Amino acid sequence: MAYKKTGTVTLKDIAAATGFSANTVSRALSDKPDISEETKEIIRKKAEEMGYIANALASFLRSGVSRNISIIVGDISNPHFSVMVKEMQMLLQKKGYNSIIFNTEEKPEMERQAVTVSISQNVDGIIICPTPGGEANIGLLRHYGKPFVLIGRRIKENPGDKKASYVICDDENSGYIATRCLLNKGHRRVLFLNGPKEISSAAERLAGYRRALKEAGVPYDGRLVHTVPVTAGRGAERMRRALSSEQDYTAVLAFSDILAWQAVCILEDLGKKVPQDCSVIGFDNIRFAYPQHLTTISSSKTTMAKKCVEILLKHLGGRKEGAERIVLETELIQGDTVKKKEEQE
């Protein structure tokens, strides 16, 4: 490689090395149709040899397009998010876009910073899993007219708001089929470790939980429903207090697989074996390197990621004016962490 010893390689440097004008070099590297393929190949080869890197800011000022997309999620350490982020990043890369990843720790102030930085960096669009209490951050995206798609969660919208596109799973039915599974196994006291009610998926899963109880003629007991942080590791003490409570329960329903496995560990530390003494169901269908397979609710993370990218690209290409809203079906995945109540006794 014939890199310059110091400094940035410019269009003038490539022009001097090839004998073409700087304007011809610029048009060739931009793949303009008025430059012959033979000339383009010569210039591209020399640019690569010299280590030329295009000036993204200059390109943006000329075209108004940065080819950058922000992906903003709550907890990148959670495989549920990391699987989707990887899939979206790969899909966007194939379409010629770069991805900028932000982790909010489910905190609206960190989400605000991610949104602000994204706008200041002139990203073309944003895929975002909204934090609880972060409605003003979505309002900021609307104010600046930045195309965005919600993933995994929806938000409350005011009557005058332009409807937002989203891809989510059927969370209400997810809560219903998970609870019904436990009820069908004879469990009547199901402790629910749920996320904050401001998270749409948490509110909708609670609604499904209550619907299944009502359908089975089991009274709803609010003492069995506990709100815990959904970021990995942050809610351990609160979960321990909930699981150590004097409430008589024989099964646990957790907001995510991460929380479900934390619950398994805490239960066993409290002297309760899973599923012999207590059954457990999670959400997300994440495979961990544990001896047991978790009974869980599955939605297609890759489908969710693919649909989000497709919708955002439609918005960027001007092929989608209104909102597109997709709700994916979910299913129960049978594992080793649920038994009939009689088998536990």
Side-chain angles (χ1 to χ4, degrees), residues 26-37 40 44:
S26 174
R27 299 186 68 77
L29 293 176
S30 299
D31 200 25
K32 298 295 183 181
D34 59 329
I35 306 297
S36 71
E37 289 301 319
K40 288 178 184 177
R44 286 170 184 160

Side-chain angles (χ1 to χ4, degrees), residues 35-47:
I35 306 297
S36 71
E37 289 301 319
E38 182 181 359
T39 299
K40 288 178 184 177
E41 182 61 28
I42 293 171
I43 291 173
R44 286 170 184 160
K45 185 177 180 180
K46 181 57 66 175

Side-chain angles (χ1 to χ4, degrees), residues 38 53 64 68 71 80 86 89 93 111 120-121 170 181 185 217 229 234 267 274 291 316 338:
E38 182 181 359
I53 298 175
N68 291 326
I71 301 174
H80 175 69
K86 181 179 179 181
Q89 191 173 24
Q93 190 174 37
E111 182 183 71
S120 70
Q121 293 294 318
D170 190 341
C181 168
K185 295 289 186 179
R234 286 180 55 196
L267 285 167
V274 176
L316 296 181
V338 172

Side-chain angles (χ1 to χ4, degrees), residues 188-199:
R188 291 297 179 267
R189 302 284 292 173
V190 179
L191 188 145
F192 190 7
L193 297 170
N194 198 18
K197 63 181 180 180
E198 295 85 1
I199 296 177

Side-chain angles (χ1 to χ4, degrees), residues 75-108:
D75 182 8
I76 197 68
S77 68
N78 185 334
H80 175 69
F81 286 120
S82 57
V83 168
M84 291 194 295
V85 168
K86 181 179 179 181
E87 183 71 17
M88 289 187 287
Q89 191 173 24
M90 291 174 62
L91 291 169
L92 288 167
Q93 190 174 37
K94 288 179 181 178
K95 296 295 184 178
Y97 288 89
N98 303 305
S99 300
I100 306 172
I101 314 300
F102 293 91
N103 187 67
T104 67
E105 292 291 319
E106 299 289 359
K107 297 177 180 178

Side-chain angles (χ1 to χ4, degrees), residues 1-2 21-22 39 41 55 58 66 90 102 203 230-231 240 246 293 299 306-307 335-336:
M1 294 288 183
S21 69
T39 299
E41 182 61 28
N55 187 315
S66 69
M90 291 174 62
F102 293 91
V230 296
T231 304
R240 179 175 288 274
E246 296 180 1
H293 286 305
S299 63
K306 181 180 179 182
K307 293 296 182 183
D336 307 320

